[in-house]
Structure formats: C-alpha cells, structure tokens
Amino acid sequence: MFESMLIAMSPANLWHLVPLLTAVSLVYAATRHELLVPITAHAVRFAIWIVVFMAIVFGVIQLIEWFM
Amino acid sequence: MPDAATTDRYDTDRNDVDEEFTVDLRDRTFAAVFAWLLPGAGHAYQRRWGKSVLFFTCIMGTFLFGMYLGSGKVVYAAWGKTSDERRLPYLLQAGVGLPAMPALVQANFASRPFGSFMAPPRFPGPNEPPFVARELPDGSVEHYKDELAYWNLVIDDFELGTVYTMIAGLLNVLAIYDAWAGPVMALPDDRRKRKKDGDESDDDAGDKSSKKTPAP
C-alpha cells in the first residue's frame, strides 16, 4: 500500500499541489484579514505550515514503511 | 425597524491590532447569497474589490482546474439507489453556486438541455446490457459496467478533479462567511493568553461587541 502511495506522489503529481496550495492559502488568509499585505503574509506562513505538515506526515509514513 | 445586521459596519481601530480598516457589510444576507451564487460576487456587492477578485480568481480557478483535470465530467448530480449512483461530492461542489447549477438541471431533466455538459453518467438497469463505450478499430466494442466505470478508466485524474472541485466549493463557504460577517480577526497574543488563562470574561465580552457595532 505504501509503495503505491509513494508512486502516486511522483514529482509530476506533486505539481498538482501548487495551485491548490496557493488557492487554499490565499482564501484562508483572506478570511482572516482585510488588507492585501497581511493577507499575503498570512498566506505565505500558512502555505509553509501546510508544506511542513505534509512533509512530517510523509516522513511518518516513510518511517512506518521502513519498520514494516 | 431595519435589521441591525444590515447596517453593521466592521470597525477595527484598536491599537493592539496591526490592521486598521472599516468594512461596510451593507445587507449581509444579500452579500452572503451573492457570494454563494458566484465566488467574489458578495464582496463586489460590498465594494470590497480586492477580496472579490481574490476569491473569484482562487475559487473559480480551483473549480475550473478541477473540471479540466476531470475532462469536464467530475461535476454532476445523481441521487440513485446504489452508492455508485449517489454523487455525494456534489454536495460540496454546489458550494460554488451557479457554476455548478447546470448539473442540477441535467440531473432533473431527462432531455438534458446542456447535452453532455455536467450530465450524470448512465447506469444500465439490472436487466439491461452493460454500458457500451465505443467501437474499436478492429470492429469490437468496449463494454463497461456503467458510464462512471468508463470515466474512471479513461480519465487519469478523475478523482483528483473531483477533489479540486470539492475544495473549491468548501473554499467558497469560507468566502460566504467572510461576506456575511467580515474577516475573523485573530486575538493578539497577550489577549489570547489571558483568555486561555480564563481571566478575561468581562473584557472579552466588551471586545466582541466592539467588533461589530451598528453604524452611527
């Protein structure tokens, strides 16, 4: 199962993350602020947070795979 | 007496918040309905042009990109008896409003006024032959259980497109709330900490009322 998950995360498929990450970050940040500068700053922080969170999940899955 | 909500202004000029702005929400019910009908329309009604463009671009961009990934087949409404025939993702896709409404028309009119656009897949009945997809060059024909099975096979990103369009609908829910209530301001760190400690009951109540005060 994990191998198929890693195959699904090929670099080509990861590009699908970019528009989604951009849209989600901007929309979420826009619901928290009214002005463009704080919206942009919040969106950048939120996007980084999402990427780090996904990297942690990826690392955990990778660890589980190693120990199985 | 007019509804106080229709004349609410969202004023923030406290020193402990690093943004200063005034937002006239106008009739917030209308704004929320407009925001649902078309992403960004509610904010355009409130003359919040920047956020209107942002919401429209991000949400419609996500929705259309999902449609592109799914070859235009991922948004449809179907309420059949089996789980395959029930399109639950449409409940979220409908969050984008009018752009997803042709699917409802297609699902409720057998004549399918928009042709194959957002039309639900065909599910042959138990006594009917399987769905015939196409005739191959050698004269044989491809048979599938139903048209949805065919779509899943030939459209590589059918599921991904479905997810994109679902997320677009969910994002518009956030935009609708923003049109109705204004931005959700985060509490400053010291105020948040005091609230966490539980000693901010009166002060916090006063703060909430000051966030949305009726226009003078």
Side-chain angles (χ1 to χ4, degrees), chain A residues 19-20 22-24 27, chain B residues 39 53-69 96 99 161 164-165 167-169 171:
Chain A
L20 197 59
T22 307
V24 170
V27 170
Chain B
V53 171
L54 188 150
F55 283 132
F56 180 82
T57 306
C58 290
I59 295 171
M60 284 307 296
T62 305
F63 185 78
L64 293 176
F65 189 59
M67 288 281 286
Y68 165 75
L69 289 176
V96 297
Y164 263 77
T165 50
I167 290 176
L171 289 178

Side-chain angles (χ1 to χ4, degrees), chain B residues 26-107:
Chain B
R26 302 187 73 186
D27 189 320
R28 58 170 66 186
T29 306
F30 273 134
V33 172
F34 289 151
W36 173 70
L37 286 175
L38 186 69
H43 292 77
Y45 164 73
Q46 294 170 328
R47 302 188 187 92
R48 299 157 77 185
W49 304 112
K51 292 180 85 167
S52 173
V53 171
L54 188 150
F55 283 132
F56 180 82
T57 306
C58 290
I59 295 171
M60 284 307 296
T62 305
F63 185 78
L64 293 176
F65 189 59
M67 288 281 286
Y68 165 75
L69 289 176
S71 301
K73 303 290 188 186
V74 291
V75 179
Y76 66 86
W79 314 110
K81 292 176 180 173
T82 67
S83 60
D84 278 350
E85 296 173 31
R86 279 191 293 273
R87 185 63 171 171
L88 295 180
Y90 184 73
L91 296 176
L92 301 184
Q93 293 164 340
V96 297
L98 284 179
M101 286 303 109
L104 273 186
V105 177
Q106 295 285 64

Side-chain angles (χ1 to χ4, degrees), chain B:
Chain B
M1 180 178 174
D3 181 2
T6 63
T7 56
D8 269 2
R9 297 177 75 89
Y10 191 102
D11 297 321
T12 301
D13 54 3
R14 304 197 311 268
N15 293 328
D16 55 0
V17 177
D18 57 0
E19 287 182 76
E20 291 186 10
F21 56 87
T22 300
V23 177
D24 185 357
L25 297 176
R26 302 187 73 186
D27 189 320
R28 58 170 66 186
T29 306
F30 273 134
V33 172
F34 289 151
W36 173 70
L37 286 175
L38 186 69
H43 292 77
Y45 164 73
Q46 294 170 328
R47 302 188 187 92
R48 299 157 77 185
W49 304 112
K51 292 180 85 167
S52 173
V53 171
L54 188 150
F55 283 132
F56 180 82
T57 306
C58 290
I59 295 171
M60 284 307 296
T62 305
F63 185 78
L64 293 176
F65 189 59
M67 288 281 286
Y68 165 75
L69 289 176
S71 301
K73 303 290 188 186
V74 291
V75 179
Y76 66 86
W79 314 110
K81 292 176 180 173
T82 67
S83 60
D84 278 350
E85 296 173 31
R86 279 191 293 273
R87 185 63 171 171
L88 295 180
Y90 184 73
L91 296 176
L92 301 184
Q93 293 164 340
V96 297
L98 284 179
M101 286 303 109
L104 273 186
V105 177
Q106 295 285 64
N108 289 292
F109 289 92
S111 60
R112 294 192 176 179
F114 301 120
S116 63
F117 179 67
M118 292 193 185
R122 283 165 283 180
F123 295 96
N127 298 322
E128 297 177 60
F131 171 70
V132 178
R134 58 186 172 182
E135 186 173 338
L136 298 175
D138 62 1
S140 60
V141 290
E142 283 184 323
H143 293 274
Y144 292 89
K145 176 188 164 193
D146 52 49
E147 197 172 15
L148 179 60
Y150 174 64
W151 289 351
N152 273 285
L153 194 71
V154 299
I155 302 172
D156 289 339
D157 293 323
F158 186 84
E159 294 298 334
L160 197 58
T162 300
V163 169
Y164 263 77
T165 50
M166 290 164 66
I167 290 176
L170 283 173
L171 289 178
N172 202 37
V173 173
L174 292 179
I176 292 168
Y177 183 81
D178 188 77
W180 186 76
V184 181
M185 300 298 293
L187 289 173
D189 287 343
D190 59 338
R191 197 173 287 266
R192 191 183 304 165
K193 188 178 176 185
R194 274 188 289 153
K195 187 178 182 183
K196 192 175 179 182
D197 293 340
D199 60 350
E200 201 191 356
S201 54
D202 293 338
D203 188 31
D204 190 45
D207 180 49
K208 280 180 181 172
S209 64
S210 70
K211 278 177 70 179
K212 299 184 180 74
T213 53

